[in-house]
Structure formats: structure tokens, C-alpha cells
């Protein structure tokens, strides 16, 4: 079942301003332009719920959406802009690392990739960071409508077996694979589990960094 109700909860530009709430969180990450907003909008059934912005270097923020009064989806700022100043990249890394490592409500990160391109360097770094911190990763390989079904299936199999990814092939435009992706999200969110108390903290990050 895809979502029936979704609403904007809050935006945060640093971890001191993360919203307090009682639901489990699932974060969404991906290179800019990969199709993150389209996927979020399609999953929540709300066109333009996740604001589409193509401006590199704009203020980096986390956006929180409550879905079905049962879980919270967190839209992380896109990464991988080619010509972004280093200071902005550092700001992104700091904000995202702080969030990922200090958020007890976080249950999993959906890492969105383009099925035609596979894993970019930044995607791999993010996956390594998540693994190093014991955070579950669900990979959504989107834009499957851009290639033939057999090509998409072949690519997906290579990524699943070669890289050991929990990968879902989806298309935000055609709607393919969204039910299964949503099931995985609900499962990761542990529907029915009481959320951990917000005073719990994860360990501080080790040497691995997201760039
Ligand atoms: P974001 O920067 O990651 O939020 O990416 P957007 O959601 O704004 O999408 C970037 C571009 O990819 C837009 O032109 C979308 O219409 C297109 N796009 C997103 N998802 C899909 C998809 O599943 N199939 C196709 N063909 N295009 C898509």
C-alpha cells in the first residue's frame, strides 16, 4: 500500500533544529538530479511535496514529511554537484553526517541511483559510511523506464550480486516497483515498533567520511 496522507513537518539546517516527534524515520539520499524529488512525490502521492530545486550551493537543509501518521520521510540535500565550492560540500557532509550519526529515530536510508549509471563514487562513499555505522541501506535504482526491461533487469542483477545491494528497480514516471519499495520502507521502519527514545545517541562517527 502506498501512502495515503503526507504532510510537511519541518525543515532543519543543522542538527540542533531537528524536529521532535514520535515516529521512525527513513531518509532519502542521492546525487542531485537523480530523481529523488520525483520518487518522494510519487511515493507520497503528492506532486511537489518535495520541492524541486536545481540550484547548486543553495542553503542545505533536511526536510521532514509525516506519512500516514506512522513514519517520517527525510529528504536529505542532494550531493554531487560538479561545480559546488568546497565549503558547500563540507557543509553538506557535516550536516548529513551529524544527522546520520545522531538520530536514534533513523531506521534506514534509501540511496537513490540512476539504473543507467550504476553506483557513482559518492554513492559508494555514502553506502560505505552507512555500513560503517550500522545503518541499513535500501537502494532505489530509478529511471528504469529509460532503458528496456531486460537491460534494467540485467543491470539490477549485476548491482545486487556484484555489490551485494538490497536493490529495488523503480520508475517514478511509470510507477514500476514502488509498491515493493514501499513495503521495504515500512518493514525497515518497523511498523508497529515503538520508536526509540530521542535521548539515545549513536556512537560518534569513525574515520569514514561522506564527501
Ligand atoms: P532530484 O534533483 O534528485 O530531486 O531530481 P528530480 O526528481 O527533480 O528529477 C530530475 C529529472 O529526472 C527530472 O527531469 C525528472 O522529470 C526526471 N526523472 C525523475 N524520475 C524519473 C523517472 O523515473 N523516469 C524518467 N524517465 N525521468 C525521471
Amino acid at each position: 500500500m502506498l501512502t495515503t496522507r503526507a504532510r510537511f513537518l519541518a525543515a532543519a539546517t543543522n542538527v540542533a533544529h531537528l524536529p521532535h516527534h514520535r515516529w521512525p524515520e527513513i531518509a532519502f539520499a542521492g546525487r542531485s538530479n537523480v530523481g529523488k524529488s520525483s520518487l518522494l512525490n510519487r511515493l507520497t502521492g503528492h506532486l511537489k511535496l518535495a520541492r524541486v530545486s536545481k540550484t547548486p550551493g543553495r542553503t542545505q537543509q533536511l526536510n521532514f514529511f509525516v506519512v500516514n501518521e506512522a513514519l517520517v520521510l527525510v529528504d536529505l540535500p542532494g550531493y554531487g554537484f560538479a561545480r559546488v565550492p568546497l565549503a558547500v560540500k563540507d557543509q553538506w557532509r557535516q550536516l548529513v553526517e551529524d544527522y546520520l550519526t545522531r538520530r536514534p529515530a533513523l531506521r534506514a536510508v534509501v540511496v537513490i541511483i540512476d539504473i543507467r549509471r550504476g553506483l557513482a563514487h559518492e554513492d559508494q562513499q555514502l553506502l560505505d559510511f552507512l555500513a560503517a555505522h550500522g545503518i541499513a541501506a535500501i537502494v532505489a535504482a530509478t529511471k528504469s523506464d529509460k532503458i528496456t526491461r531486460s537491460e534494467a533487469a540485467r543491470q539490477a542483477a549485476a548491482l545486487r550480486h556484484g555489490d551485494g545491494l538490497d536493490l529495488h528497480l523503480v520508475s517514478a514516471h511509470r510507477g514500476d516497483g514502488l509498491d515493493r519499495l514501499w513495503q521495504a520502507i515500512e518493514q525497515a521502519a518497523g511498523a508497529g515498533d515503538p520508536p526509540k527514545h530521542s535521548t539515545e545517541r549513536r556512537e560518534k562517527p569513525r574515520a569514514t567520511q561522506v564527501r
Side-chain angles (χ1 to χ4, degrees), residues 120-131:
H121 180 59
E122 293 96 334
D123 303 322
Q124 188 61 63
Q125 279 188 318
L126 177 58
L127 289 167
D128 290 346
F129 181 89
L130 296 175

Side-chain angles (χ1 to χ4, degrees), residues 33-38 52 54 142-143 145-146 171-173:
N33 223 35
V34 74
K36 178 160 57 67
S37 309
S38 304
V52 181
K54 299 282 169 272
T142 193
K143 303 193 184 178
D145 58 284
K146 292 255 198 184
S171 162
H173 279 194

